[in-house]
Amino acid sequence: MTRVYNFSAGPAILPEEVLQKAAQEMLDYKGSGMSVMEMSHRGKEFKQIIEAAEANLRDLMNIPENYKVLFLQGGASLQFAMVPLNLMRKSKKADFVHTGQWTKKAIAEAKKFGEINIVASSEGDNFTCIPELDPATFSKDADYFHIATNNTIYGTAYNDIPQTGDVPLVADMSSNILSEPIDVSKFGVIFAGAQKNIGPAGVTIVIIREDLVGGAAEDVPSLLNYQTQVDNGSLYNTPPCYSIYIAGLVFEWIKQNGGLIGMQKSNKEKAQILYDYLDCSTLFSSPVQKTSRSMMNVPFVTGNKELDAEFIEQSSQRGLKTLKGHRTIGGMRASIYNAMPIAGVKALVSFMKEFETNKGGGNNV
Ligand SMILES: *Cc1c(COP(=O)(O)O)cnc(C)c1O
């Protein structure tokens, strides 16, 4: 068996120990004689799985008592609609910071339900940075304020979380949740599709402050109402059982590997190795402004499309997979989520140096 280094932005690499444990438990989960995929979501085994997953997530992120944790479906993209459907209850206004394609989609969806104010945008800089924020432009009466804490496609991330006062801050953390400690109490809602840094596609984590539940209008469909999901402990209908089970194993794996401080330490180290090389390479460079660089997604280019294509082809032959940049921006992108070992990043940099030397560069190595 050969495992590759998978740099996919999502669905993404999972910890090997988690996959092994899932394989061991595949046919007979803890003496039940069934796989988790085959068992009732109302049975005692699954009840234990979802309760342990929530408890471990609460523990890892230090989620305060007055926040609910939900395991939903529909991906982060459904949250682009659920958030306005549930939170636009007074002024029906929302503030957004526009930092790329995921905020573009979130803005387009929220516009269906209310008035959107874009307080800052990095579109003029091709989304290569997080824009400066001026609190004077924030709407005092907004029902919420939306950001994407990590921009998966462009490789940018916030250094400082915006201070929005009494306006609830909503964060799309799909691609950097669990990558480092955060203060959950600064947020009204945190949501994340699982397939980047949590587990398999199919489950979406929502962490929501209690007072933001219960504001949806009467005609909001039951499944899209946070209240329904809270009242039923995410079990109003059949949840994505297997994805929740794997997410639970990932939470255990993170705990065994130093928690979020442990993740932060290794994520910093991995990102540093890659950025240090990019900053001294004569062939490859990072298009992202230094102060906005993501630890999770690292885009890079040679500036020559044919060379990029050649690099992607050759790296793939070396078992360095899925390094192609997003279809809309080209170039390369290495996603180095929690589950990517340091050895994977070292193997990538080593191959980049070799490629650079073969192309006549490499006076820095
Ligand atoms: C991947 C991603 C999404 C979309 O997630 P889905 O689960 O496919 O809907 C939204 N926001 C960010 C930041 C992402 O990385």
Side-chain angles (χ1 to χ4, degrees), residues 12-326:
I13 185 169
L14 286 166
E16 207 166 291
E17 295 91 326
V18 165
L19 297 175
Q20 272 161 358
K21 177 122 197 243
Q24 275 164 21
E25 294 180 334
M26 176 60 82
L27 295 181
D28 178 9
Y29 177 75
K30 297 195 172 165
S32 65
M34 296 178 215
S35 110
V36 174
M37 269 181 264
E38 303 168 297
M39 56 181 53
S40 167
H41 60 293
R42 311 268 176 216
K44 71 174 189 327
E45 286 93 354
F46 187 73
K47 185 169 185 285
Q48 199 273 327
I49 288 170
I50 193 169
E51 285 175 357
E54 176 172 343
N56 282 327
L57 183 64
R58 283 186 173 277
D59 194 23
L60 280 171
M61 293 182 73
N62 200 10
I63 300 174
E65 283 285 309
N66 63 326
Y67 283 72
K68 300 291 184 190
V69 173
L70 301 173
F71 296 93
L72 307 183
Q73 305 194 52
S77 302
L78 188 58
Q79 294 310 307
F80 298 164
M82 276 182 81
V83 168
L85 278 170
N86 285 268
L87 268 60
M88 279 184 172
R89 46 180 154 182
K90 291 181 197 133
S91 65
K92 299 201 181 297
K93 287 188 207 164
D95 281 357
F96 275 75
V97 181
H98 183 26
T99 50
Q101 294 196 26
W102 295 118
T103 55
K104 184 175 175 199
K105 286 190 168 165
I107 289 165
E109 202 71 353
K111 266 192 183 153
K112 295 177 181 172
F113 307 105
E115 193 185 315
I116 303 310
N117 172 33
I118 298 177
V119 300
S121 167
S122 53
E123 193 166 11
D125 294 305
N126 293 320
F127 301 118
T128 55
C129 63
I130 299 295
E132 292 251 345
L133 302 183
D134 174 7
T137 61
F138 299 2
S139 313
K140 298 272 171 304
D141 62 341
D143 284 330
Y144 67 93
F145 187 111
H146 178 118
I147 59 170
T149 48
N150 184 78
N151 295 280
T152 327
I153 295 172
Y154 300 93
T156 62
Y158 285 75
N159 292 313
D160 298 307
I161 294 304
Q163 306 270 339
T164 57
D166 291 337
V167 175
L169 182 60
V170 172
D172 177 356
M173 285 194 194
S174 294
S175 50
N176 70 338
I177 190 167
L178 300 172
S179 64
E180 60 186 342
I182 56 150
D183 180 355
V184 174
S185 73
K186 287 187 177 159
F187 300 88
V189 180
I190 292 170
F191 65 85
Q195 68 275 18
K196 277 70 181 242
N197 216 10
I198 297 176
V203 62
T204 307
I205 306 285
V206 176
I207 300 166
I208 179 167
R209 211 175 62 211
E210 262 166 9
D211 62 289
L212 299 173
V213 178
E218 283 288 314
D219 61 357
V220 168
S222 312
L223 266 179
L224 304 186
N225 191 329
Y226 289 129
Q227 187 75 61
T228 312
Q229 303 288 1
V230 166
D231 289 346
N232 293 279
S234 307
L235 297 174
Y236 176 75
N237 69 330
T238 318
C241 302
Y242 200 75
S243 296
I244 293 170
Y245 157 69
I246 300 285
L249 294 183
V250 171
F251 300 154
E252 284 174 18
W253 177 85
I254 295 174
K255 283 183 103 172
Q256 287 154 10
N257 286 275
L260 297 194
I261 291 175
M263 293 299 114
Q264 180 180 46
K265 185 169 168 286
S266 85
N267 288 329
K268 271 192 176 163
E269 192 177 338
K270 288 182 285 178
Q272 185 90 39
I273 293 171
L274 196 43
Y275 286 121
D276 280 353
Y277 168 65
L278 287 171
D279 288 342
C280 69
S281 170
T282 55
L283 181 63
F284 297 102
S285 63
S286 158
V288 177
Q289 295 182 21
K290 279 192 179 170
T291 51
S292 297
R293 286 174 170 179
S294 163
M295 286 200 295
M296 298 279 97
N297 310 97
V298 183
F300 55 94
V301 293
T302 62
N304 174 329
K305 283 201 172 93
E306 279 144 33
L307 268 185
D308 286 353
E310 203 181 315
F311 176 80
I312 291 161
E313 171 66 29
Q314 289 187 18
S315 53
S316 175
Q317 286 166 6
R318 296 290 192 92
L320 304 165
K321 296 286 180 182
T322 345
L323 282 163
K324 201 167 189 289
H326 191 264

